[in-house]
Amino acid sequence: MSDSPQDPLVTSLAACAQGDGQALERVYRLASPHLYAQLLRIVRNESAAQDCLQQVFIRVWQSAGQYDASRAKPMTWLSTLTRNIGIDWLRRQRPQEADGQALIDELAGLDDPAADGQRDQESSQLHECLEILPAKQRQVLELAFFHGLTHSELAGAITQPLGTVKSWVRRGLERLKSCLTTGI
């Protein structure tokens, strides 16, 4: 996402600061998949990640006025809030680790700007590769991997036979792998 003032996250965060509930919903729609994935990497538990995500958006609602577009991109600010909430959750689960060094060691790679840049580049490449897939293959892969649907759930959601859905997923993954490894 761009960091221009016209970035929908920037404008939505500004509107949240003014108490606009619909703006919070826009921020949620734009950012929640990325933030949820980040929380899953940190807490390694779907239920806890969902609870933490709720806490993230409560915090966004409460502190959107503190966001300064001149200091950070909106996803950077949101990711920082998310990371802190995830770490706080882990700390509450491990009260015996008073110094927190084991937790810091475990999460050392999650706040690395170089790794963030690499993930951003990989994410852009993935989205470019998804765009070249046929529409049905792209749809089933997005539903499976971004929304967590199983093959059976996919078949029901798009009203296609299970075998067809499995073939689309397999072929789509093969094309993605080819695109990601060769750039084609």
Side-chain angles (χ1 to χ4, degrees):
M1 300 207 168
S2 76
D3 57 349
S4 72
Q6 299 306 316
D7 183 331
L9 278 175
V10 172
T11 56
S12 295
L13 285 170
C16 279
Q18 302 301 315
D20 183 348
Q22 290 180 336
L24 181 65
E25 183 180 338
R26 284 191 301 274
V27 173
Y28 183 85
R29 277 188 279 119
L30 292 168
S32 66
H34 172 77
L35 302 178
Y36 179 69
Q38 180 181 1
L39 284 165
L40 277 175
R41 284 192 305 270
I42 294 171
V43 301
R44 297 184 181 123
N45 177 299
E46 287 186 27
S47 177
Q50 292 168 0
D51 290 344
C52 289
L53 187 63
Q54 181 178 1
Q55 290 301 311
V56 167
F57 282 95
I58 289 170
R59 181 93 45 92
V60 167
W61 180 251
Q62 293 169 339
S63 61
Q66 297 173 5
Y67 171 68
D68 181 359
S70 67
R71 293 185 63 207
K73 292 182 180 181
M75 280 305 293
T76 302
W77 185 75
L78 290 166
S79 293
T80 300
L81 284 177
T82 301
R83 180 180 176 275
N84 291 342
I85 287 171
I87 290 172
D88 288 346
W89 182 88
L90 285 174
R91 285 185 179 138
R92 285 191 304 273
Q93 302 308 306
R94 301 177 187 170
Q96 69 277 8
E97 295 175 16
D99 67 356
Q101 188 58 46
L103 180 62
I104 291 168
D105 293 342
E106 183 179 329
L107 297 173
L110 294 177
D111 196 28
D112 180 9
D116 287 345
Q118 178 70 21
R119 277 192 294 273
D120 288 345
Q121 181 180 4
E122 290 169 353
S123 177
S124 294
Q125 185 181 9
L126 175 63
H127 287 287
E128 288 173 12
C129 289
L130 279 170
E131 289 300 317
I132 65 170
L133 292 177
K136 289 294 185 181
Q137 288 178 357
R138 181 176 56 248
Q139 180 186 21
V140 295
L141 290 177
E142 288 173 346
L143 288 171
F145 292 97
F146 298 138
H147 299 282
L149 297 183
T150 65
H151 286 120
S152 298
E153 292 169 334
L154 285 169
I158 63 172
T159 61
Q160 291 291 328
L162 180 60
T164 301
V165 169
K166 287 181 177 182
S167 294
W168 288 347
V169 169
R170 183 179 46 78
R171 288 183 191 135
L173 288 174
E174 288 171 353
R175 284 189 173 164
L176 271 181
K177 180 180 178 184
S178 173
C179 178
L180 291 170
T181 57
T182 64
I184 297 175

